[in-house]
Amino acid sequence: MARTPVPGTRDTVLTAAAGLFYRYGVRAVGMAQVVEAAACGKNLLYRHFPSKASLAAAYLRLYRTERERSVAEALRWADGPGPKLVTLVGEIAEMVRRPGYRGCAFRNYLTEFPGENDEPARVAKQYLADSRTQVAALVSELGGDDLMADRVWLVVDGLHAGPPDQARVAVDWVTEIVQRRSIA
Amino acid sequence: MARTPVPGTRDTVLTAAAGLFYRYGVRAVGMAQVVEAAACGKNLLYRHFPSKASLAAAYLRLYRTERERSVAEALRWADGPGPKLVTLVGEIAEMVRRPGYRGCAFRNYLTEFPGENDEPARVAKQYLADSRTQVAALVSELGGDDLMADRVWLVVDGLHAGPPDQARVAVDWVTEIVQRRSIA
DNA sequence: GTCTATAGAAGGATAGAC
DNA sequence: GTCTATCCTTCTATAGAC
């Protein structure tokens, strides 16, 4: 019989690639580096990911899955649109403050490949659009208008880009906005 | 006799490089592309800019000079810290709405070269620090506290990152913040 | 023998630097 | 123009598990 394929190889490669891509940027990391970090042969890498773009897309999809899991878990403790909104922003702030944070993976990719519309670019755009929709939905549930949704999203954008010392400022501000809305 | 060096060559090369760097990203643009766009010889390029990093640094410095000129000209029409702050944010919003806007050149470079501390990275960090200081100074003149300065900077960060449709939202918000501060 | 794995060379393009 | 180095990708060669 033939040799049994090692299970979990795809995850090993993807995890190694994700760490490198996020830390150093997709453009700066070569496929050889990924192979070395994953401790596998080039053949295996290209069998699971036919191109670097597909590997980058998988990296962003993995990132999205992890973030959605973190957000969902945080939101389980929140009751109602107001607390949910604050919790959501608080979860982002926690990520920003985490050591090794190097910016939003999706925004970073779109910056590294401006004007691109390949698979990873579409994954990134889709995530950002869905994320904004999620914020807008919570604001709408809370009874806020489009202006409030736009302002919260502006804070969220600034939170992603800005330095970690701005994390608390963003959370407090959104908290204030939500409370004012809840009282009025 | 030796041939007289063509005056303005450095500017020609730099302008061509700046356009390409901003549009496609520093990493994506090769020196050959710059040479082709500038319609000059490779030796001439390396005579004025000994490395790609120095060319990128000059590109960011040029960008800074242009922005400071635009901001200074806009601020000449504003009287007092409040109107100045609104004008400053409005000028950024105008830039964001301009066709061909691909994000903040300084933030983009730092994203393309994460963790780097070479010459262009230092230029970028310096500009962002000075820009934040400028905002904080205007807020201070207006009688605002550190929290207000942080919040305005958060909006400015979001304004740079976000889509053009957020430009007006940011300007209106800052206007509102300034007016509330002026009345109270 | 058959299949999967790694290691490495090679192709072809392009990078920065001289 | 040329040099060297590296890029992504493909292919070959070889070792190991069934």
Side-chain angles (χ1 to χ4, degrees), chain B residues 31-54:
Chain B
M31 295 296 264
Q33 258 181 87
V34 175
V35 165
E36 190 186 13
C40 73
K42 295 175 189 171
N43 44 6
L44 191 59
L45 193 164
Y46 278 95
R47 172 173 291 280
H48 288 289
F49 304 99
S51 71
K52 188 181 182 180
S54 81

Side-chain angles (χ1 to χ4, degrees), chain A residues 22 58-76 85-98 101-107 124 127-128 131 134-135 153 156 159-160:
Chain A
Y22 180 72
Y59 145 64
L60 291 180
R61 271 191 276 261
L62 171 65
Y63 215 92
R64 169 167 189 158
T65 302
E66 288 179 356
R67 279 220 54 69
E68 285 178 336
R69 203 176 50 77
S70 292
V71 169
E73 187 164 348
L75 286 183
R76 289 192 64 241
L85 198 52
V86 172
T87 302
L88 175 60
V89 176
E91 208 283 329
I92 300 171
E94 196 180 323
M95 171 185 70
V96 168
R97 269 188 301 226
R98 203 139 36 210
Y101 177 74
R102 301 231 178 241
C104 169
F106 309 99
R107 292 170 175 85
Y127 173 80
L128 293 178
S131 192
Q134 184 184 18
V135 167
W153 183 249
V156 168
L159 174 57
H160 278 99

